[in-house]
């Protein structure tokens, strides 16, 4: 359609990924560390200016280390995408004790978390609300638009008391695209895949 698109990525853990025949140019950052390292920041700014980039789609809206790279480049529009519930890290922390552990130490930690669940849960909620509030205030401030997977996720911004411009937050639902199927479980075979 006449657009020039580049895929700029940070650390590539599995270099075999780059063997895939991407339909667009893949550019990796020079520093394998944090995306927001000084070396990567300089590369990022020069890349945007040299390629005359108009729009940056930040696919890492959930990650706080990327916020620093949403620089004040007035000629560039920034669209940030949150590919999960905005409070995903809070939920992960609250329910991590339910995951099985192979080590004795891990099982003991999980048991203690389970036993102290009301206290543990409240502490995790309080810590993550404060952290997520700062993160999303900065993300929305530095982005021209923030895309969520559901209108319902806007409530997470209210939950963490983020002072954000809700006009900049939009939802593009990601619905299940499979056709509805009727399954008769009475004739279903017991098959392990």
């Amino acid at each position: 359609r006449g657009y020039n698109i580049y895929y700029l990525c940070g650390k590539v853990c599995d270099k075999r990924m780059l063997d895939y025949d991407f339909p667009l140019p893949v550019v990796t950052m020079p520093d394998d560390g944090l995306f927001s390292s000084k070396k990567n920041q300089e590369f990022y700014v020069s890349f945007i200016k040299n390629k005359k980039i108009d729009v940056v789609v930040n696919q890492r809206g959930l990650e706080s280390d990327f916020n620093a790279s949403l620089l004040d480049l007035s000629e560039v529009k920034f669209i940030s995408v949150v590919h999960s519930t905005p409070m995903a890290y809070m939920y992960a922390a609250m329910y991590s004790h339910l995951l099985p552990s192979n080590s004795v130490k891990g099982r003991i930690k999980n048991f203690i978390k389970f036993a102290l669940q009301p206290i543990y849960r409240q502490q995790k909620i309080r810590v993550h609300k404060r952290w997520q509030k700062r993160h999303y205030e900065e993300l929305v401030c530095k982005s021209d638009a923030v895309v969520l997977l559901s209108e319902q996720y806007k409530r997470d911004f209210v939950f963490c008391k983020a002072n954000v411009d809700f006009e900049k937050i939009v939802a593009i639902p990601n619905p299940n695209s499979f056709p509805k199927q009727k399954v008769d479980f009475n004739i279903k075979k017991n098959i392990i895949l």
Side-chain angles (χ1 to χ4, degrees), residues 8 35-36 41 44 56-61 63-71 78 80 135 139 142:
L8 183 62
F35 195 91
S36 55
Q41 287 286 307
Y44 178 64
V56 171
V57 180
N58 165 24
Q59 297 288 356
R60 297 184 59 195
E63 309 295 328
S64 59
D65 74 313
F66 193 83
N67 280 0
S69 63
L70 295 174
L71 304 169
F78 289 100
S80 293
H135 168 65
L139 183 72
K142 290 184 172 184

Side-chain angles (χ1 to χ4, degrees), residues 11 13 16 21-22 24 33 43 45 47 52 62 68 81 86 88 96-98 118 137 145 147 155 157 171 175 183 189:
K11 185 175 184 176
C13 296
R16 292 175 300 172
D21 185 22
F22 286 93
L24 47 98
F43 177 82
V45 170
F47 183 83
K52 297 180 175 58
L62 202 58
V81 183
S96 65
H97 67 281
L98 298 176
E137 285 176 349
V147 180
R155 290 187 290 196
F157 290 83
V183 178
K189 294 178 183 174

Side-chain angles (χ1 to χ4, degrees), residues 4-16:
N4 291 321
I5 300 172
Y6 302 91
Y7 182 76
L8 183 62
C9 60
K11 185 175 184 176
V12 179
C13 296
D14 186 352
K15 302 292 184 199
R16 292 175 300 172

Side-chain angles (χ1 to χ4, degrees), residues 15-128:
K15 302 292 184 199
R16 292 175 300 172
M17 257 180 62
L18 299 174
D19 294 337
Y20 176 74
D21 185 22
F22 286 93
L24 47 98
V26 176
V27 180
T28 55
M29 302 297 272
D31 184 7
D32 248 5
L34 277 178
F35 195 91
S36 55
S37 73
K38 185 174 168 60
K39 192 174 183 180
N40 283 344
Q41 287 286 307
E42 290 168 355
F43 177 82
Y44 178 64
V45 170
S46 68
F47 183 83
I48 286 174
K49 290 183 177 176
N50 292 340
K51 298 290 184 184
K52 297 180 175 58
I53 303 292
D54 299 313
V55 178
V56 171
V57 180
N58 165 24
Q59 297 288 356
R60 297 184 59 195
L62 202 58
E63 309 295 328
S64 59
D65 74 313
F66 193 83
N67 280 0
S69 63
L70 295 174
L71 304 169
D72 187 18
L73 302 170
S74 57
E75 66 277 4
V76 179
K77 297 282 185 204
F78 289 100
I79 300 169
S80 293
V81 183
V82 178
H83 287 282
S84 183
T85 169
M87 300 303 287
Y89 287 120
M90 181 187 77
Y91 295 127
M94 283 171 43
Y95 299 109
S96 65
H97 67 281
L98 298 176
L99 297 173
S101 177
N102 292 331
S103 70
V104 174
K105 185 178 176 182
R107 286 189 205 128
I108 292 170
K109 278 176 73 174
N110 284 351
F111 178 76
I112 292 169
K113 288 178 189 176
F114 181 77
L116 300 174
Q117 188 174 7
I119 298 164
Y120 178 77
R121 184 182 175 120
Q122 288 305 315
Q123 178 206 5
K124 288 297 175 189
I125 290 172
R126 191 175 66 253
V127 167
H128 279 275

Side-chain angles (χ1 to χ4, degrees), residues 23 29 40 56 75 95 104-105 111 130 132 136 150 153 169 171 176 178-179 181-182:
M29 302 297 272
N40 283 344
V56 171
E75 66 277 4
Y95 299 109
V104 174
K105 185 178 176 182
F111 178 76
R130 193 170 46 241
Q132 297 292 129
Y136 288 117
S150 168
Y153 287 158
I169 302 172
N176 183 342
F178 298 102
Q181 299 175 14
K182 268 198 164 181

